[in-house]
Amino acid sequence: MIFTVAIDGPAAAGKGTIGRAVADRFGFRHLDTGLLYRAVAVAGGDPVEAARHLTPEDLQRGDLRTLEAGRAASRVAALPEVRAALVDFQRRVARSEGGAVLDGRDIGTVICPEAEVKLFVTASPEVRAHRRWLEVGGDAGRVLAEVKERDARDMERADAPLQAAWDAVVIDTSAMGTDEAVEAACAVVARRFAKRT
Ligand code: CDP
């Protein structure tokens, strides 16, 4: 059974939490594709070479979740050769037997336009910055500036910019708790899954 759930959206909108929960609920694999770009960014040296030689161990590094790694990731993610080097791996996971959930920026638009479910998970910049601040701490104003800067870079890049696929279901989590957001996503997936099987 091939069944792909593509979850796209801006930084700290809740894609990862929703992605993991959907994968658990339906017994699908989960790939946080942001980790690929973060791992390329922290690898050092030529990012294109790093993307071409990325290994599963590189995704286990403990320093991938920092603000700095996120900022550096959005810089290397603007390089078309880096993106191209990561396409095949993501497509293989997306169409692997047993179902898969991938979260990122371009899953429903570029990596897997044929995904059975496309979700665009978003929230206001202030809400997203607050959530990120709860994770990383530090200066709240700086975290908000960082979120806005990263949104702009991800939306304005020429190659695979962040945007909702025309057929994505938009879930705005600004006024939702985690459980509510997870249930909203699972309801969409369950409807499509039932139709398919
Ligand atoms: O967790 P958070 O939403 O803050 O970021 P992430 O998903 O780990 O992604 C980090 C950066 O990688 C993003 O700002 C994007 O520039 C880039 N990225 C991308 O271009 N395409 C993806 N499919 C996933 C991430």
Side-chain angles (χ1 to χ4, degrees), residues 94-183:
R95 300 316 261 170
S96 60
E97 185 54 39
V101 180
L102 279 77
D103 67 78
R105 301 291 187 288
D106 62 339
I107 309 303
T109 50
V110 174
I111 299 298
C112 197
E114 70 276 35
E116 283 72 15
V117 179
K118 296 181 192 177
L119 302 175
F120 191 81
V121 177
T122 187
S124 72
E126 289 71 21
V127 167
R128 291 187 285 116
H130 182 67
R131 289 180 189 154
R132 189 47 43 101
W133 176 78
L134 290 175
E135 289 170 5
V136 300
D139 176 0
R142 183 171 155 246
V143 176
L144 176 59
E146 183 72 39
V147 160
K148 287 183 171 170
E149 185 193 315
R150 206 131 68 77
D151 283 356
R153 200 180 298 131
D154 288 350
M155 290 188 290
E156 287 161 17
R157 70 179 174 223
D159 191 19
L162 168 66
Q163 57 184 7
W166 67 270
D167 51 351
V169 175
V170 178
I171 300 179
D172 186 328
T173 67
S174 300
M176 286 183 188
T178 305
D179 291 352
E180 200 183 338
V182 165
E183 290 314 318

Side-chain angles (χ1 to χ4, degrees), residues 4 31-34 36-37 82-83 85-96 100 102-107 111-112:
T4 311
L31 177 66
D32 170 357
T33 64
L36 303 175
Y37 296 91
V82 166
R83 306 200 70 83
L86 300 175
V87 166
D88 286 350
F89 174 73
Q90 295 176 85
R91 286 197 178 142
R92 269 201 303 279
V93 175
R95 300 316 261 170
S96 60
L102 279 77
D103 67 78
R105 301 291 187 288
D106 62 339
I107 309 303
I111 299 298
C112 197

